Structure formats: C-alpha cells, structure tokens
C-alpha cells in the first residue's frame, strides 16, 4: 500500500514537471554584440604587425566574423579543436556578401604571442595569415574549465 502511494506521488510529480512552462531564454543569439577581449586585441596587433612587415595590407577586425568564429570556439570548448561545419560558417558569411574565407584554430597556448608564433611555424597556418586578398578577420579566444585557451581566427575577403 505504501509503495503504491509513493509510486502515485512520483507519477503525479512527474506529470506536473512535464506540464510546466519552460523558462524563456534571455539570450538573443541574433542580436549578440561581440567586443574584443585584451587577448584578442593583442593578437590583432601581432597579426597586423606581421602583415605590414611582409608588405601585406593590415586587416580590420570584423565583429560579425568574430561572432561567427566565437560560436565555433564555444563548440570547440565542448567537442575539441576541429574545423567541423566550416562550410556552414562560409555559407553564412557568403550570404552576407563575403567572397571567400579561411580559418585557423589553435589551443593550449597561454598567450596570443605563443599562439601566433605557433601559427607562423606551421606552413599551412602561415599561408592563411599571408593571403593577400583578405580584407578583414574575425577572432575569438576563450578559456575552458581547465584554463586552456582556444583560438579561432576567420579571415574574410569582402
């Protein structure tokens, strides 16, 4: 008898739980505004100093591209460093008028300076940094729960 009462209470509680209205999210991802962190600003200086030394035009930071790569870096914090769904990011940006894009990713580097040095020591990443047709870039640097930094840079040609 007691077991039947406990079971009935649990079932009623579960039904009430299922019928409750979910809380509305206060985050509007479409209207999120991206501002650069100190690390991202430091990386921008390193990037443009390198480009100018190599007779390449400096790149403007594009906040929409930064928001797009930021969403991917959020994803990487959970799933690890991967270029998954780059075609989706490219398609989204092309719908906004971007002609082409390239992406470089890194993690575990403690500072923008060490991350940038690692990019320059990789021929593949260095080629992306040195593309002459890039007009702008987006950047996101975030830290996971273990203190490891994840870097995402999205270069765009407008």
């Amino acid at each position: 008898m007691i077991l039947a009462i406990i079971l009935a209470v649990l079932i009623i509680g579960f039904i009430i739980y299922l019928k409750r209205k979910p809380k509305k999210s206060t985050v509007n991802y479409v209207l999120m505004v991206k501002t650069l962190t100190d690390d991202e600003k430091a990386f921008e200086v390193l990037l443009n100093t390198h480009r100018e030394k190599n007779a390449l035009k400096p790149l403007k930071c594009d906040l929409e591209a930064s928001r797009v790569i930021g969403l991917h870096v959020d994803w990487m914090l959970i799933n690890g460093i991967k270029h998954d769904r780059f075609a989706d990011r490219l398609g989204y940006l092309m719908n906004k008028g971007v002609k082409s894009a390239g992406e470089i990713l890194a993690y575990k580097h403690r500072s923008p300076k060490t991350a940038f040095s690692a990019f320059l020591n990789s021929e593949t990443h260095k080629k992306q940094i040195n593309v002459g047709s890039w007009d702008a870039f987006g950047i996101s640097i975030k830290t996971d729960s273990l203190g490891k930094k994840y870097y995402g840079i999205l270069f765009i040609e407008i």
Side-chain angles (χ1 to χ4, degrees), residues 37-148:
T37 65
D38 288 343
D39 277 349
E40 292 164 347
K41 290 175 187 174
F43 192 94
E44 178 180 24
V45 170
L46 293 165
L47 172 66
N48 282 325
T49 299
H50 168 81
R51 286 182 61 86
E52 288 173 352
K53 283 181 183 177
N54 288 279
L56 297 165
K57 66 183 172 191
L59 303 179
K60 299 177 295 182
C61 185
D62 183 276
L63 295 180
E64 181 65 8
S66 293
R67 188 185 71 77
V68 169
I69 195 66
L71 292 172
H72 183 63
V73 171
D74 287 340
W75 179 88
M76 288 194 315
L77 291 173
I78 297 165
N79 300 289
I81 185 165
K82 300 175 187 173
H83 290 277
D84 289 21
R85 301 185 64 138
F86 174 73
D88 292 343
R89 290 186 291 288
L90 178 60
Y92 172 82
L93 291 167
M94 290 181 92
N95 284 335
K96 299 242 177 230
V98 168
K99 293 178 185 173
S100 66
E103 172 180 273
I104 57 176
L105 308 172
Y107 75 113
K108 292 186 181 178
H109 299 285
R110 293 179 186 227
S111 71
K113 186 175 182 177
T114 59
F116 192 74
S117 292
F119 284 138
L120 292 181
N121 287 327
S122 160
E123 284 304 313
T124 305
H125 292 102
K126 188 175 181 178
K127 281 181 184 177
Q128 284 293 327
I129 290 169
N130 290 334
V131 170
S133 61
W134 297 143
D135 297 302
F137 73 102
I139 186 168
S140 182
I141 302 171
K142 297 183 181 179
T143 306
D144 70 10
S145 61
L146 300 174
K148 294 178 184 168

